[in-house]
Every structure is written in structure tokens, then in C-alpha cells.
Amino acid sequence: MIDTIKTVNQAIERASVNDGIDLINKVDSFYNSAWDKLIIVGSVAFGVIGILVPFVIQWYQKKNLKINEELLKKYLEGQILILKSEVLSEVSKAIDNKIESFDKKIVKMNASINAKAFHLQARSLFNSKLYPKALADFIVSAEEFLICEDFKNLQSVLQVIQDSCLPKLSMEEINDLSISDNIDINNFLNDLETKDDKGIFTKIIRDIRLKLSKLPKTTKDKIVDNLM
């Protein structure tokens, strides 16, 4: 009986030892298999990532570059439009300035021609003793000399008006010119005084006004004065 029990115990011990070894072998086999699979999966994953990542980076760079190119293109187009606008504006201003300068020269040239023509005509009328008409043309000549800024000839005409023309006239005849020829000597003197910023003509303007204040009032008074 004792031998039988001993035999059973030994059998059980051998079975337990064999089962434990078998279990250990299975566990070891499981971990080895899992590790191999992990290595394979990791290798495949790293391989895929190693292939995909450069493509993704390249795709992103190309996309980003295209966007930057579009932005740069729009920026450059905007800058070009601004530059074109500025250039056109500067060219337009330069042309306008040239035209304005040219127009001023034309105006002055025409004024100079008119001034000399009226001056000659006034002298002719004065020599023909048509004093009111001569004064009208002398005043027009003076106005044109003022426009073309020929101050030397303007001074000469004013001197002739003061010394030669006015002594031959009455205020009645001078005032009549505003109706017959639309000429007003006082308006001209006021205009000259306004534009004479350097005071070149201050003295002669005063002298002419003083001369006007002492003229005979009417033609009849002038005749009486001449007779006296």
C-alpha cells in the first residue's frame, strides 16, 4: 500500500515537473513569437514611414512653394500697378507743367506783340491829334506790357501817358473812353498797383493820379484853359 502511494506521488511530481517545463516552453515560445512579430511590424512601419514621410514633406513643400509663388506674384502685380500709377502721375504732372509753361510763354509772346502794336498805333493817333483814342491805345499797350512783364517799355508808356497824353485831355473825354472803348484808366492803375509787389511803379502811379485830379472837368473847360 505504501509503495503504491509512493508510486502515485512520484508520478504526480513527474507530471507537475513536465507540465511546468512545458508551460515555460510555451511562454517562452509566445514571447519569442511576439518579439519577432514586433520586430517585423516595427521594421515594416519604419520602412513605410521612411518612404511616406519624404513624399509628404516634398508634397507639403511644393504646395507651400506654390502658395508663396501665388502670393509673391500678386504682390509683384500690385507693386507694378502702383509703380505704373506713380509713373503715369509723374509723367502727367511733367506734361501738365510743360504745357502750362508753354501756355504762359505763348500768352506773354502774344501780349508782347499786342503791346508793341498798340504802342505804335497810339503814337500814330497822338501825332494825328486824336488824343482820346491815343490814350485808349496807350493804356491797352501798358496792360499788355504788364502781362508780358516788359517793365522797361511799360515804364516808358506810363511816362508818355503822364507827360504827353493827359495834358491834352479833359476828365470828360477820359471818362467817355469807358463807354466808347471800355477803357478805364483808374481800373488799370488799381490793377498795376496790385501787381506791383516790388513798388517799381509806385511813384509814377501817384504822379498820374495827381495829374488826373488837376485836369479840366469838361472839354469846354479844357478849351478855356488852352485859350488862357
Side-chain angles (χ1 to χ4, degrees):
M1 184 67 177
I2 293 172
D3 292 336
T4 303
I5 292 170
K6 186 177 181 181
T7 302
V8 171
N9 285 335
Q10 289 175 348
I12 291 171
E13 288 175 356
R14 283 196 299 270
S16 297
V17 171
N18 290 334
D19 289 341
I21 291 170
D22 186 50
L23 181 61
I24 290 170
N25 288 333
K26 286 180 179 180
V27 170
D28 183 62
S29 177
F30 170 77
Y31 278 110
N32 286 334
S33 176
W35 179 252
D36 291 339
K37 289 179 180 179
L38 180 61
I39 291 174
I40 293 170
V41 171
S43 299
V44 172
F46 279 117
V48 171
I49 292 172
I51 294 171
L52 288 179
V53 167
F55 280 112
V56 171
I57 292 173
Q58 189 177 14
W59 171 81
Y60 175 77
Q61 287 177 338
K62 285 183 178 179
K63 185 177 180 181
N64 193 43
L65 181 61
K66 187 175 181 180
I67 293 172
N68 289 335
E69 285 178 351
E70 290 295 325
L71 292 174
L72 180 60
K73 184 178 178 182
K74 289 181 180 179
Y75 173 77
L76 290 175
E77 287 175 350
Q79 292 299 310
I80 289 170
L81 289 175
I82 292 172
L83 288 173
K84 281 184 178 180
S85 177
E86 290 177 351
V87 169
L88 288 174
S89 178
E90 290 299 321
V91 170
S92 179
K93 287 180 182 178
I95 292 173
D96 289 342
N97 290 337
K98 288 291 183 182
I99 292 173
E100 185 179 356
S101 177
F102 181 74
D103 287 342
K104 287 180 179 179
K105 288 180 180 179
I106 293 296
V107 169
K108 286 185 177 182
M109 186 173 66
N110 287 334
S112 179
I113 293 171
N114 291 334
K116 291 170 183 176
F118 274 99
H119 191 197
L120 290 174
Q121 184 171 289
R123 285 189 172 278
S124 176
L125 290 168
F126 185 84
N127 291 333
S128 298
K129 298 185 180 181
L130 300 173
Y131 302 123
K133 291 291 185 182
L135 176 62
D137 282 357
F138 276 128
I139 292 173
V140 173
S141 176
E143 289 173 341
E144 295 293 328
F145 277 131
L146 180 60
I147 292 172
C148 68
E149 299 179 354
D150 187 347
F151 300 130
K152 183 178 179 180
N153 279 323
L154 174 57
Q155 184 76 32
S156 176
V157 171
L158 292 174
Q159 206 68 51
V160 170
I161 290 173
Q162 177 190 339
D163 297 336
S164 301
C165 253
L166 293 183
K168 303 291 184 180
L169 297 167
S170 65
M171 284 304 303
E172 181 183 13
E173 292 171 307
I174 293 172
N175 291 333
D176 286 346
L177 290 176
S178 62
I179 300 172
S180 61
D181 296 88
N182 195 29
I183 299 295
D184 190 320
I185 190 170
N186 286 306
N187 286 343
F188 165 67
L189 292 175
N190 290 335
D191 185 42
L192 176 59
E193 194 170 38
T194 300
K195 294 176 180 177
D196 184 25
D197 54 348
K198 295 181 180 179
I200 299 173
F201 302 104
T202 299
K203 184 178 183 304
I204 196 163
I205 290 172
R206 289 175 180 173
D207 290 343
I208 290 173
R209 282 178 172 158
L210 180 62
K211 182 81 71 168
L212 286 168
S213 68
K214 294 182 178 181
L215 290 180
K217 300 297 180 184
T218 66
T219 306
K220 187 181 293 186
D221 293 336
K222 181 184 73 172
I223 295 171
V224 171
D225 288 345
N226 290 336
L227 290 174
M228 294 175 62

